[in-house]
Amino acid sequence: MKISFHGADRDVTGSCHLLEVSGKRILIDCGMFQGGRELEEENAEEFGFDPKSIDLLLLTHAHLDHCGRIPLLVKRGFNGEIIATSATRELARVVMLDAAHLQEEEAERNNRHAHRHGKYPVDALYDTLDALNAVGQFGRAVNYGESIEIAPKVTATFYDAGHILGSASIRIEKKGDKKRSVIFSGDIGNAGRPILRKPQIPPKADVVVMETTYGDRNHKPIEPTIAELYQAITETLARGGNVIIPTFALERTQEILFTLREGIEQGRLPKNLPVFLDSPMAISATEIFRRHHECYDDATREQFKGKRDPFALPGLRFTRETAESIALNRLVGGAVIMAGSGMCTGGRVRHHLRHNLWRRDSSVVFVGYAAPGTLARILIDGAKTVRLFGDEIPVNAHLYTINGFSAHADRDELLAWHRALKPKHTILVHGEEKAMSSFAKALEKTQVTMPHQGDVFEW
């Protein structure tokens, strides 16, 4: 077995690893780099391998930083099968089509600017047709715990990672005289959260390739986290402002809806609190969530059996159309507006920030990870002004950073997951270098590698 690394190496986005075994070239994830302009430009560069040479792609889950460059891979010649869980297939379709739409919009915007300055037009990284072609290459839908053959005497088994709906850790085993095995963790979930089951521990393997997003710190307990969210909303309503929640369409949106519903039912939030979900992708993802009860924990599954929708609120309104989104800018106060993207790198939330950041009565509540270089991180780090749509906007709104909602396992959970596997060799990926180095020092009885992009590991 041989692994080469082509993304999320000493970084938290762009996950992409190439496994070579039994004459087959198997890609695990093909995600988009997210962050500053430098990382965005990296998306258009060569992959580090020939897309035509890839036989198969195994997808751990549908977050953009794990599936976002699949349409580009297809555009550049990949013609193999894509394998994932059923829920991941559905969510990845929504994510890739949304990303294609954003790529097309950005190219159109850049070309208007280029035309005015006499520059050559540029193409979108990929377009809707490329995304649809990628969707067409999804083949087998696997169940958790089911082993499938992906090469002669080589099997892949998907285990519930508990991160987002359909997410998986993947164990690959080569059988025969010289057995070899490797586990790709994907993103491991935070076991303290509602809705999804806790992460499964796969059977042991020789090598583990694991994420380290929160390898240097633990999360707040969930109950104080929920109380902090309710307090942020209550304080903002008392001031007469709006609550803007930049949110990721997958998992975080549904978790916040779940939490708001509970707060209303418990009397901790106003009964008819106006909540606007201003994200077509998040709306579609929520509908997909309602179809995949096989991923839920027992308590959430029982709610569905009792004909109770855990994501439904009395004052919830979906705003799919652009005109509906624009109308929200006229809201003076008293509303909760959830919009993507979670890192504020694009999407409708940037418009809501433009109309609310300068207001002292409004609030912006961050409930997820913000990569370096993103607008969310810039705000969290204390910027006094930010530039949005050509305007310099003063940051007067109250900012809340609530970390306990993370869909990622924290340091203690990652260590427990690793201890249960006891691998001979551990390869750390998907983390900022500081977090990764801290986590590496805590590992025992294993050889640790922290690859750079392009590095190769063989055993």
Side-chain angles (χ1 to χ4, degrees):
M1 287 185 168
K2 181 167 74 172
I3 307 174
S4 54
F5 300 90
H6 304 280
D9 308 310
R10 304 187 184 226
D11 189 16
V12 290
T13 63
S15 286
C16 188
H17 317 303
L18 174 57
L19 174 69
E20 297 177 58
V21 57
S22 296
K24 297 292 184 181
R25 292 167 62 83
I26 301 162
L27 208 59
I28 292 84
D29 292 343
C30 190
M32 188 168 285
F33 296 101
Q34 296 171 282
R37 175 57 57 183
E38 183 179 335
L39 276 180
E40 291 175 10
E41 291 173 352
E42 196 170 343
N43 287 314
E45 294 179 1
E46 297 299 320
F47 286 100
F49 53 83
D50 181 1
K52 297 186 183 77
S53 72
I54 304 302
D55 298 294
L56 193 68
L57 191 154
L58 307 181
L59 181 58
T60 63
H61 65 284
H63 271 152
L64 189 67
D65 61 333
H66 289 258
C67 75
R69 283 197 300 164
I70 293 177
L72 183 63
L73 189 77
V74 171
K75 180 180 180 179
R76 292 181 178 176
F78 169 64
N79 195 34
E81 181 186 13
I82 303 171
I83 299 176
T85 65
S86 177
T88 293
R89 284 167 54 121
E90 287 197 61
L91 291 174
R93 181 183 191 277
V94 173
V95 170
M96 293 189 300
L97 286 170
D98 181 74
H101 177 66
L102 292 176
Q103 297 292 335
E104 290 168 333
E105 281 189 338
E106 183 177 4
E108 182 181 353
R109 188 164 53 248
N110 290 342
N111 286 336
R112 285 198 301 268
H113 183 269
H115 180 71
R116 288 196 298 268
H117 292 82
K119 297 180 180 179
Y120 291 106
V122 296
D123 293 328
L125 187 66
Y126 55 80
D127 59 22
T128 299
L129 180 58
D130 297 317
L132 288 171
N133 287 337
V135 170
Q137 287 181 215
F138 276 80
R140 287 168 281 183
V142 297
N143 299 316
Y144 291 129
E146 174 189 2
S147 294
I148 59 171
E149 187 171 83
I150 57 173
K153 295 185 178 180
V154 179
T155 59
T157 310
F158 286 57
Y159 294 90
D160 191 346
H163 174 58
I164 67 167
L165 194 81
S167 62
S169 300
I170 304 174
R171 185 180 187 274
I172 299 172
E173 182 177 13
K174 178 185 177 183
K175 301 175 181 178
D177 295 337
K178 294 183 178 179
K179 290 185 178 179
R180 297 284 187 274
S181 56
V182 59
I183 293 170
F184 293 89
S185 73
D187 287 353
I188 302 167
N190 178 351
R193 293 156 51 246
I195 304 175
L196 299 184
R197 292 191 296 260
K198 295 179 181 180
Q200 289 179 301
I201 306 293
K204 296 176 183 178
D206 305 322
V207 176
V208 169
V209 180
M210 73 177 294
E211 64 114 334
T212 54
T213 310
Y214 286 96
D216 61 343
R217 57 201 185 277
N218 289 324
H219 301 314
K220 293 178 184 176
I222 191 65
E223 282 307 321
T225 296
I226 291 171
E228 194 175 348
L229 174 65
Y230 294 161
Q231 182 179 356
I233 294 172
T234 302
E235 290 175 352
T236 308
L237 296 179
R239 290 193 302 268
N242 293 316
V243 180
I244 310 300
I245 305 180
T247 186
F248 299 99
L250 312 188
E251 198 62 41
R252 191 55 40 79
T253 289
Q254 293 74 34
E255 187 174 5
I256 298 300
L257 289 176
F258 184 98
T259 302
L260 294 178
R261 175 193 56 77
E262 286 198 327
I264 291 168
E265 290 179 355
Q266 295 166 6
R268 299 167 73 179
L269 292 173
K271 185 174 181 180
N272 293 311
L273 175 67
V275 177
F276 296 90
L277 182 53
D278 188 25
S279 166
M281 182 166 73
I283 295 167
S284 297
T286 302
E287 292 168 354
I288 292 170
F289 265 68
R290 289 172 173 144
R291 292 200 289 270
H292 287 278
H293 303 179
E294 77 277 5
C295 299
Y296 295 147
D297 61 22
D298 292 340
T300 306
R301 202 158 49 243
E302 285 301 315
Q303 288 195 45
F304 274 110
K305 284 183 181 178
K307 306 297 183 184
R308 291 182 64 214
D309 185 342
F311 310 119
L313 289 71
L316 177 62
R317 297 173 180 84
F318 290 160
T319 54
R320 280 190 181 274
E321 302 302 323
T322 302
E324 295 173 319
S325 177
I326 293 171
L328 298 182
N329 294 329
R330 296 196 292 269
L331 290 174
V332 176
V336 174
I337 302 173
M338 301 167 58
S341 68
M343 296 191 198
C344 307
T345 53
R348 294 178 176 181
V349 75
R350 293 171 70 91
H351 295 275
H352 299 307
L353 292 175
R354 182 187 190 185
H355 287 272
N356 287 274
L357 267 179
W358 57 272
R359 297 180 53 188
R360 298 184 186 279
D361 53 3
S362 288
S363 296
V364 182
V365 181
F366 295 102
V367 292
Y369 178 79
T374 61
L375 177 57
R377 175 67 75 88
I378 290 168
L379 287 167
I380 289 167
D381 287 345
K384 301 301 182 187
T385 64
V386 294
R387 195 163 187 81
L388 284 165
F389 305 104
D391 295 329
E392 202 69 26
I393 309 294
V395 181
N396 295 326
H398 293 248
L399 303 185
Y400 298 83
T401 303
I402 304 175
N403 292 320
F405 284 112
S406 177
H408 285 270
D410 64 16
R411 178 185 175 89
D412 285 350
E413 290 175 310
L414 289 172
L415 287 171
W417 190 88
H418 183 272
R419 277 195 298 268
L421 292 172
K422 298 178 178 150
K424 297 174 185 175
H425 202 116
T426 303
I427 300 173
L428 302 182
V429 296
H430 206 287
E432 292 179 21
E433 195 157 353
K434 176 178 172 287
M436 192 177 294
S437 298
S438 172
F439 188 73
K441 291 174 184 176
L443 298 181
E444 300 175 347
K445 298 179 181 178
T446 186
Q447 186 177 348
V448 179
T449 298
M450 297 187 293
H452 292 88
Q453 194 159 328
D455 284 355
V456 176
F457 176 79
E458 187 169 3
W459 77 105

